Amino acid sequence: MIQAQIIKLRRTPFIWYLAITTIGIISMFVLYNLIYAWKPLGERLQLLYEVYGVFLSLLHGLTVFFLINPEEQMANMYQLLSVRRRIMMFLSLTFMVWAIETIRLILTFAAVGIQTGIALTGKDILLFIIGEAILSVISILFHLWVNLKFGVALSMFFAALEVLQSVMYSNIAIVGGWRYLPTAWAMEWKSDVVNQTWNTQLLFWGKCVMLILLTTALFSAWFQRWEGRKK
């Protein structure tokens, strides 16, 4: 399934989208480190974590769009319904988006780590990458579901809304039940990595992982029963 998707995407703007956005993000981060080299290293990394966390949902929405749009343009949406085990199709699409965003995350912060010195920043950057990769699954599932069910317009609307929420959460202390909102997780994980408090919050992050697993099960069950988008 994944191989078939990759073959189809070769003839679409998908590869250009990935290349341009990835190179652009890496260049922006490296340039920031060069211009503000006089700032404390921890302060620079914290800002880069925040920026990436804020715009991660937007990247998810765009990647899902460039993945699903060719299917609609070629009138191939019925193929998503023709397989017997549609759950595997849905999970393969989810995995593709997750793998793409995880590779982009690794490339971006590998470049930052090399520039700032792996010996100084390697552990923190690795922790940030692992956490973001795991926590981003729920955002990918959501945008894939919205795009398949309602179309790209609503997906991008929610992506913009998530960006605004993340910006707000980056400037305030998140307490109580608000911490369990997926839009707050990137800022919460950033704070735990920067302050080295992630190991004291294992119960909270365990609950977040359970929420991700529950969401995966719910969306997979939905896709198994999905009969296509009504125009």
Side-chain angles (χ1 to χ4, degrees):
M1 294 182 184
I2 294 176
Q3 185 178 5
Q5 290 291 334
I6 293 174
I7 292 173
K8 285 186 288 185
L9 290 173
R10 288 177 181 173
R11 298 182 179 273
T12 71
F14 189 72
I15 303 300
W16 285 105
Y17 154 74
L18 289 180
I20 291 172
T21 53
T22 302
I23 293 172
I25 293 169
I26 293 174
S27 300
M28 181 185 69
F29 278 31
V30 170
L31 183 62
Y32 174 83
N33 272 312
L34 288 173
I35 295 175
Y36 296 99
W38 53 272
K39 284 190 174 183
L41 179 58
E43 186 177 323
R44 277 182 280 149
L45 284 177
Q46 180 172 342
L47 179 62
L48 295 181
Y49 294 154
E50 286 184 4
V51 171
Y52 204 95
V54 163
F55 289 100
L56 198 56
S57 57
L58 183 60
L59 291 174
H60 293 160
L62 287 171
T63 301
V64 169
F65 164 69
F66 278 99
L67 180 65
I68 299 299
N69 189 58
E71 301 287 352
E72 296 186 354
Q73 295 297 320
M74 295 183 292
N76 283 339
M77 291 298 287
Y78 75 93
Q79 292 183 5
L80 298 176
L81 306 174
S82 62
V83 295
R84 182 174 299 177
R85 299 184 65 186
R86 285 187 275 180
I87 289 179
M88 295 307 298
M89 175 65 75
F90 180 73
L91 292 179
S92 68
L93 292 173
T94 303
F95 177 78
M96 278 192 66
V97 180
W98 177 84
I100 288 166
E101 294 304 328
T102 300
I103 291 171
R104 187 189 345 241
L105 178 65
I106 292 171
L107 291 175
T108 299
F109 283 96
V112 171
I114 292 171
Q115 188 184 30
T116 55
I118 290 294
L120 295 174
T121 62
K123 182 181 177 181
D124 288 346
I125 288 177
L126 181 61
L127 278 174
F128 181 77
I129 290 173
I130 293 173
E132 283 297 290
I134 295 172
L135 297 174
S136 66
V137 172
I138 197 168
S139 177
I140 293 169
L141 286 166
F142 175 73
H143 282 285
L144 191 57
W145 175 74
V146 172
N147 207 307
L148 288 171
K149 179 66 176 175
F150 301 106
V152 63
L154 191 61
S155 174
M156 297 313 299
F157 169 79
F158 279 116
L161 188 63
E162 288 175 72
V163 168
L164 294 176
Q165 284 184 297
S166 297
V167 170
M168 179 182 68
Y169 294 145
S170 68
N171 293 293
I172 63 173
I174 310 171
V175 296
W178 296 104
R179 299 180 67 204
Y180 290 95
L181 288 176
T183 49
W185 291 352
M187 296 303 113
E188 285 285 279
W189 182 246
K190 176 267 304 180
S191 298
D192 279 352
V193 170
V194 171
N195 299 322
Q196 298 183 352
T197 57
W198 62 273
N199 54 343
T200 64
Q201 300 291 330
L202 292 180
L203 179 60
F204 168 73
W205 293 118
K207 292 178 180 178
C208 293
V209 171
M210 292 300 296
L211 185 58
I212 291 171
L213 295 175
L214 177 61
T215 304
T216 303
L218 289 174
F219 282 142
S220 297
W222 166 83
F223 192 76
Q224 183 64 26
R225 299 179 62 84
W226 187 47
E227 297 180 353
R229 187 189 307 163
K230 296 180 180 180
K231 297 292 186 181

